[in-house]
Amino acid sequence: MSMTTLAPYLTASPDFGRELGNTVVSRWHKRLSANPTAKRSHWRTKTVYFRAVAGLVAAAPGAPLTWKSIVEAAAPNGSRSTFYEVAGAHARHPLIEAFIHDGRTDSIQLALYYRRSDAVAQLIDEAKVWSYWQHRERMLDAVNAAGPLSPTALESEVCASLTKWSRANQHLAAALGHTPPACAVEDLMLIRDGQMAAVRAATLLSDHLRRTA
């Protein structure tokens, strides 16, 4: 992404690192992944399906995914019932629900942008967040260590972390028309301090993923 398309006029904030660590997606991820009881952890079930999706996309880029193929790839832990616990209209703790419950304008925009009628597409969106998360954590560590950064510098950090992720996960990054992980879109909107709509932020990051693939 060319930084000239973004917001060099915004002032730097020493709290950006903390704010990026307390986004809607950050709270959702922490709430689910921090469950210490493995047998009861819904996050553990989700990760089984995230790995299945990532593996299928990497093994057969462009091949259509179905709930059946994903359940088969999730064996021996996959089943129709658990698939629909993690994806679909009646899924438990979907990311889009976290945006809706947050209720702020930016969050509602993100909920509308990432709203899916297809359970498989919804699962791919969440798998992208899961796959990207370690890259995002390293980016946040670097931002916090560097001290106050300008918005332009923060945007560069987001783009650089996305590039590293996409090159390590080329086919997952390209899925659904290079839709970026929802957390990266939320990060960019936060950095832009309410001056960028979700559609615009997602489009910029999608274009960045295409260019750097």
Side-chain angles (χ1 to χ4, degrees), residues 17 134-147 157:
Q134 288 186 342
H135 294 270
R136 184 179 185 272
E137 291 287 281
R138 286 193 288 270
M139 183 261 298
L140 289 183
D141 288 343
V143 166
N144 288 324
E157 292 289 341

Side-chain angles (χ1 to χ4, degrees), residues 17-123:
R18 179 180 59 81
E19 291 173 6
L20 289 171
N22 192 42
T23 60
V24 172
V25 183
S26 294
R27 296 195 300 271
W28 171 81
H29 187 280
K30 183 177 181 179
R31 183 174 67 253
L32 295 181
S33 65
N35 188 332
T37 308
K39 290 183 179 179
R40 297 182 180 181
S41 172
H42 181 58
W43 185 252
R44 186 183 184 188
T45 304
K46 277 183 176 286
T47 57
V48 167
Y49 284 97
F50 295 158
R51 289 192 180 95
V53 165
L56 286 170
V57 170
L65 300 184
T66 66
W67 72 264
K68 289 184 178 180
S69 65
I70 295 171
V71 165
E72 289 175 1
N77 299 310
S79 69
R80 186 179 188 277
S81 61
T82 56
F83 173 86
Y84 283 105
E85 280 186 5
V86 302
H90 303 292
R92 294 172 55 200
H93 311 299
L95 177 55
I96 193 170
E97 186 178 88
F99 286 131
I100 293 170
H101 285 173
D102 183 68
R104 289 175 295 177
T105 300
D106 283 358
S107 296
I108 296 301
Q109 288 184 36
L110 284 161
L112 291 172
Y113 184 82
Y114 281 95
R115 180 176 58 185
R116 304 283 190 183
S117 59
D118 175 46
V120 171
Q122 178 186 327
L123 184 59

